[in-house]
Amino acid sequence: MMKKEFKAESKRLLEMMINSIYTQKEIFLRELISNASDAIDKIYYKALTDDQLVFNKDDYYIHITADKDNRTLTITDTGIGMTQEDLENNLGIIAKSGSLAFKSENEAKEGHNIIGQFGVGFYSAFMVADQVTVISKALGSDQAYRWESEGTDGYTIEPCEKDSVGTEITLKIKDNTEDDSYDDYLEDYRLRSIIKKYSDFIRYPIKMEVTGHRPKEGSDGEFEEYKEEQTVNSMVPIWRKNKSELTQEDYENFYAEKRYGFDKPLTHVHVKADGAVVYNAILFVPENTPFDYYSKEYEKGLELYSNGVLIMDKCADLLPDYFSFVKGMVDSEDLSLNISREMLQHDRQLTLIAKNIKSKIKSQLQSLLKDDRDKYETFFKAFGRQLKFGVYNDYGANKDTLSDLLLFTSSNEKKLVTLDEYVSRMPEDQKYIYYASGTSVERIEKLPQTELVADKGYEILYLTDDIDEFAIKMLMTYKEKEFKSVSSGDLGIEADADETSSEAEATENKDLFEAMSTILSGKVKGVKASKRLKSHPVCLTAEGDLSIEMEKVLNAMPNSEGIQADKVLEINVHHEVFQSLKAAFEKDQEKLALYINLLYNQALLIEGLPIQDPVDFTNDICKIMV
């Protein structure tokens, strides 16, 4: 019998497909099962137009048989089979797909869609096999044929005997190497796990003879081994069922089965989209933050299926970074795939699905915020940081999408509030949305800078995450209201009698303020009379876009270069301390320097900033005591 050469360009092409296209060898089983499913689908299509052909779904299945002694793995289907010409054209020409040609000639009906549109999946078998034998008998033919190949050197085709219509593919599994244990592909548990992972939702039964153990009859504590044929795939995926048939428990079980997390999902979205692109999706919002979520090891993405066949474990393109916490899956028949199911083209369908998913996630979070505030706050405590980073990232490109989802602690409510809730209750005379930054609510409440705003009765948003102020700076405004830090130079509050007297006091003691500025030269941009302090003697404020809290965050990062905010030391001229400063200025310049350095260091401590020279600071305190 003469061996025929493959009709592809070269031996190198087959080597490339075997060694380069697929990243995991286990993929071979998914490809062969998908081809078997296609073969059964083709009989279904024939039955639609042939009255003499009755399609009884119970008669069609895929069978997997492992023979450890002979090191063979056999995949059998009861599909349409192949003629000699089919074997020649579909298996003899690499990268030609019989399923793709069949699909182009037949319109999909009732959800039976051809999976194998790719043309090279069959050859993935050579990743694990030294020899591949195909025995096939086509529907309506009396003659069966055997196709056999050992890889790149070619193949043979000869007539043979086969009782029933269908195809039987036998793989002679390779011997183990130092790097690969090919024995795994002859083990029941390994084969079942691959089928569950990739082909669990193939619409036809995938059957295997499974080894089990049971108590031995008539014995005490002894077990015996037995074998029985089992269907190892689920067949009907949960996302193709009607939502009305499913309970919350069904979704939670699916979440657990897919190992999306060890927690229970806070909420889920079940999408059935028919329009510009057709797809099904189930999306989950976890309750807890994954342990590696804020590390570079974390991988975002949704499982991506094509007609029930898993093609990607994590398709990152389906989720924006700010929704990277979402778990779940998408199944579509509209995706364009090239060469193998592992390589997905960035095409219009994928873009449309991603856009739709983003909208669905936001809508679900908004519904949760409106209808179940406690649940939303649980979510926000776990993933609010990611939303705020999404506002800041990409130069604020997504701030309009995310601003309504943000929460901050309110000085009035003593709980988390939305920006919309804050703005809706602003007094008419309030120009700005005021905020204060710090490491905790307790520390912010004690900040001297909050006194004037709080005294006016204005609500203050407490920003306690290191990303908060960066996000607020990127937002700039919300509903035409500008954000304003309580530590900023101009608070936009009209002067009252105290503030007017402060200005008069500052003018009267101009020389004193100049002297204090000279003493702190290089440490602060200036020293001035405060309009915001009521009971506290001193505080630091910042001029420009960089706040003191932002300075702390940036300097905590690796390779920081000593970034400094433009600080101003503000003195409360109505505090007793100011009288001591005036007296020292008139009588003892050395004591003035001592006082002003103490006040400056106190202001640093209030802000949580390090004192430049702790020894000098303690010595200055001792001087005051004696």
Side-chain angles (χ1 to χ4, degrees):
M1 179 176 32
M2 188 175 70
K3 183 172 286 188
K4 299 182 180 182
E5 293 185 0
F6 286 112
K7 297 178 184 177
E9 287 89 340
S10 66
K11 173 182 176 180
R12 183 172 172 274
L13 179 60
L14 181 54
E15 289 175 343
M16 180 192 73
M17 285 186 288
I18 294 172
N19 299 316
S20 303
I21 290 177
Y22 298 99
T23 56
Q24 293 177 298
K25 289 182 170 61
E26 65 184 24
I27 297 294
F28 84 92
L29 189 57
R30 178 192 72 184
E31 297 296 323
L32 297 181
I33 288 173
S34 295
N35 290 343
S37 175
D38 290 346
I40 300 173
D41 279 342
K42 289 175 184 178
I43 287 190
Y44 169 79
Y45 279 108
K46 292 280 187 191
L48 293 177
T49 55
D50 188 344
D51 294 337
Q52 295 182 345
L53 184 61
V54 178
F55 185 85
N56 182 359
K57 192 173 180 180
D58 293 338
D59 296 335
Y60 297 94
Y61 58 87
I62 300 162
H63 198 280
I64 312 293
T65 306
D67 183 342
K68 292 182 182 179
D69 294 333
N70 294 309
R71 293 190 68 78
T72 60
L73 179 66
T74 302
I75 297 93
T76 305
D77 69 67
T78 55
I80 201 166
M82 288 180 279
T83 63
Q84 181 177 0
E85 183 181 5
D86 291 334
L87 290 167
E88 187 80 49
N89 289 334
N90 296 339
L91 303 188
I93 303 176
I94 300 172
K96 178 173 181 180
S97 170
S99 293
L100 182 58
F102 189 91
K103 184 180 182 182
S104 64
E105 297 169 5
N106 295 270
E107 182 182 356
K109 297 179 182 178
E110 296 183 23
H112 285 255
N113 299 294
I114 302 299
I115 300 168
Q117 306 167 30
F118 320 103
V120 298
F122 169 78
Y123 299 95
S124 63
F126 288 104
M127 292 192 296
V128 300
D130 290 322
Q131 182 185 71
V132 178
T133 302
V134 180
I135 296 175
S136 191
K137 184 176 182 180
L139 181 68
S141 174
D142 295 327
Q143 182 64 60
Y145 292 90
R146 179 199 305 270
W147 181 99
E148 193 166 272
S149 174
E150 294 180 355
T152 54
D153 61 338
Y155 62 93
T156 60
I157 298 180
E158 62 178 342
C160 67
E161 296 297 321
K162 189 177 188 303
D163 295 334
S164 57
V165 171
T167 299
E168 180 183 289
I169 301 175
T170 301
L171 278 59
K172 183 73 173 177
I173 299 298
K174 293 179 180 180
D175 292 327
N176 291 338
T177 65
E178 288 185 7
D179 297 326
D180 297 294
S181 174
Y182 293 100
D183 287 354
D184 288 352
Y185 303 117
L186 297 169
E187 297 289 346
D188 289 352
Y189 75 90
R190 182 75 170 108
L191 294 170
R192 287 203 308 272
S193 70
I194 295 172
I195 293 168
K196 291 296 286 183
K197 179 177 180 180
Y198 295 106
S199 307
D200 196 33
F201 306 115
I202 289 289
R203 64 180 64 88
Y204 305 107
I206 301 172
K207 300 181 179 182
M208 278 183 63
E209 192 174 70
V210 176
T211 302
H213 295 84
R214 62 191 173 196
K216 191 173 183 180
E217 193 173 336
S219 67
D220 184 19
E222 290 187 43
F223 288 82
E224 63 179 358
E225 189 177 279
Y226 71 98
K227 293 181 179 292
E228 68 173 2
E229 188 174 80
Q230 293 181 1
T231 297
V232 294
N233 62 321
S234 302
M235 289 186 282
V236 181
I238 183 175
W239 58 82
R240 287 185 182 161
K241 295 180 180 179
N242 291 326
K243 298 177 191 179
S244 58
E245 299 175 23
L246 299 169
T247 65
Q248 180 63 27
E249 186 179 1
D250 291 327
Y251 289 109
E252 289 178 358
N253 288 340
F254 180 70
Y255 182 88
E257 287 167 9
K258 300 300 289 181
R259 294 184 174 86
Y260 291 143
F262 295 106
D263 55 351
K264 286 188 177 181
L266 269 179
T267 186
H268 70 270
V269 188
H270 190 165
V271 184
K272 289 180 176 288
D274 292 297
V277 62
V278 179
Y279 72 93
N280 294 304
I282 299 180
L283 312 170
F284 295 98
V285 175
E287 182 176 17
N288 299 320
T289 313
F291 72 94
D292 61 346
Y293 184 66
Y294 290 112
S295 72
K296 62 182 179 180
E297 284 76 26
Y298 180 81
E299 287 184 72
K300 71 165 183 170
L302 301 175
E303 289 184 319
L304 184 61
Y305 291 80
S306 178
N307 284 318
V309 178
L310 180 68
I311 57 176
M312 287 184 77
D313 273 327
K314 291 183 184 292
C315 182
D317 294 327
L318 288 172
L319 288 175
D321 285 343
Y322 50 83
F323 287 154
S324 59
F325 49 81
V326 173
K327 305 288 187 180
M329 51 65 56
V330 173
D331 185 11
S332 176
E333 61 195 58
D334 286 342
L335 296 174
S336 298
L337 303 167
N338 61 15
I339 304 186
S340 85
R341 294 178 174 91
E342 288 185 295
M343 289 188 281
L344 190 64
Q345 293 176 345
H346 292 250
D347 60 7
R348 180 173 174 271
Q349 287 93 341
L350 188 68
T351 303
L352 286 173
I353 292 173
K355 184 179 179 181
N356 198 340
I357 283 174
K358 180 177 74 173
S359 175
K360 294 289 184 184
I361 295 169
K362 182 182 176 181
S363 295
Q364 185 66 16
L365 291 176
Q366 285 178 314
S367 297
L368 198 65
L369 176 61
K370 180 183 176 183
D371 301 330
D372 196 335
R373 185 61 171 256
D374 288 342
K375 254 189 185 180
Y376 186 82
E377 290 188 11
T378 298
F379 152 75
F380 195 81
K381 285 171 184 174
F383 301 107
R385 183 188 180 92
Q386 187 67 12
L387 298 186
K388 288 180 277 193
F389 181 74
V391 171
Y392 171 75
N393 202 25
D394 295 328
Y395 304 99
N398 305 299
K399 62 183 181 181
D400 292 337
T401 301
L402 300 172
S403 58
D404 287 326
L405 298 175
L406 302 181
L407 298 178
F408 300 98
T409 301
S410 160
S411 61
N412 292 357
E413 299 288 324
K414 308 299 181 186
K415 63 181 183 181
L416 294 170
V417 299
T418 66
L419 294 176
D420 183 63
E421 289 166 346
Y422 180 102
V423 170
S424 68
R425 53 179 177 248
M426 283 174 61
E428 287 186 17
D429 64 339
Q430 184 180 339
K431 299 177 183 178
Y432 301 107
I433 301 173
Y434 292 105
Y435 67 88
S437 302
T439 54
S440 68
V441 169
E442 291 74 19
R443 291 196 66 167
I444 294 174
E445 286 180 328
K446 295 176 181 178
L447 285 177
Q449 295 92 326
T450 62
E451 285 189 308
L452 177 60
V453 177
D455 193 53
K456 289 287 185 182
Y458 297 157
E459 188 173 8
I460 303 171
L461 297 177
Y462 293 162
L463 278 50
T464 55
D465 270 346
D466 52 13
I467 187 64
D468 284 353
E469 197 163 0
F470 292 89
I472 290 295
K473 293 281 188 183
M474 194 59 71
L475 276 176
M476 293 188 289
T477 63
Y478 179 80
K479 293 191 174 179
E480 300 180 353
K481 295 290 185 180
E482 187 181 337
F483 290 93
K484 180 75 73 172
S485 170
V486 297
S487 298
S488 63
D490 179 16
L491 291 174
I493 296 175
E494 292 184 10
D496 57 16
D498 283 347
E499 292 170 38
T500 304
S501 65
S502 295
E503 291 177 4
E505 192 78 33
T507 304
E508 184 180 330
N509 293 278
K510 180 181 177 183
D511 293 341
L512 170 58
F513 281 98
E514 287 178 357
M516 290 189 291
S517 296
T518 301
I519 293 168
L520 295 179
S521 177
K523 297 179 180 178
V524 297
K525 194 172 181 181
V527 181
K528 69 178 185 180
S530 179
K531 297 178 182 179
R532 76 189 76 223
L533 292 175
K534 297 293 181 181
S535 61
H536 291 82
V538 67
C539 74
L540 282 172
T541 59
E543 293 183 354
D545 292 332
L546 185 66
S547 72
I548 294 172
E549 199 63 29
M550 292 168 77
E551 172 192 313
K552 288 157 61 178
V553 172
L554 293 172
N555 284 326
M557 294 180 178
N559 303 317
S560 63
E561 299 178 359
I563 297 168
Q564 297 288 323
D566 290 331
K567 301 180 190 70
V568 174
L569 186 68
E570 294 194 6
I571 305 291
N572 184 355
V573 296
H574 302 295
H575 197 280
E576 294 88 341
V577 162
F578 186 65
Q579 301 306 317
S580 298
L581 289 171
K582 287 168 66 176
F585 177 64
E586 292 174 2
K587 298 176 182 179
D588 190 343
Q589 291 293 318
E590 187 176 332
K591 186 171 282 190
L592 175 65
L594 175 64
Y595 287 170
I596 196 63
N597 276 309
L598 274 173
L599 289 173
Y600 169 68
N601 284 323
Q602 285 178 8
L604 288 176
L605 289 173
I606 290 170
E607 291 298 329
L609 292 168
I611 293 173
Q612 292 171 338
D613 193 333
V615 174
D616 278 354
F617 177 62
T618 54
N619 288 337
D620 286 346
I621 292 176
C622 290
K623 289 176 185 177
I624 294 291
M625 294 176 68
V626 298

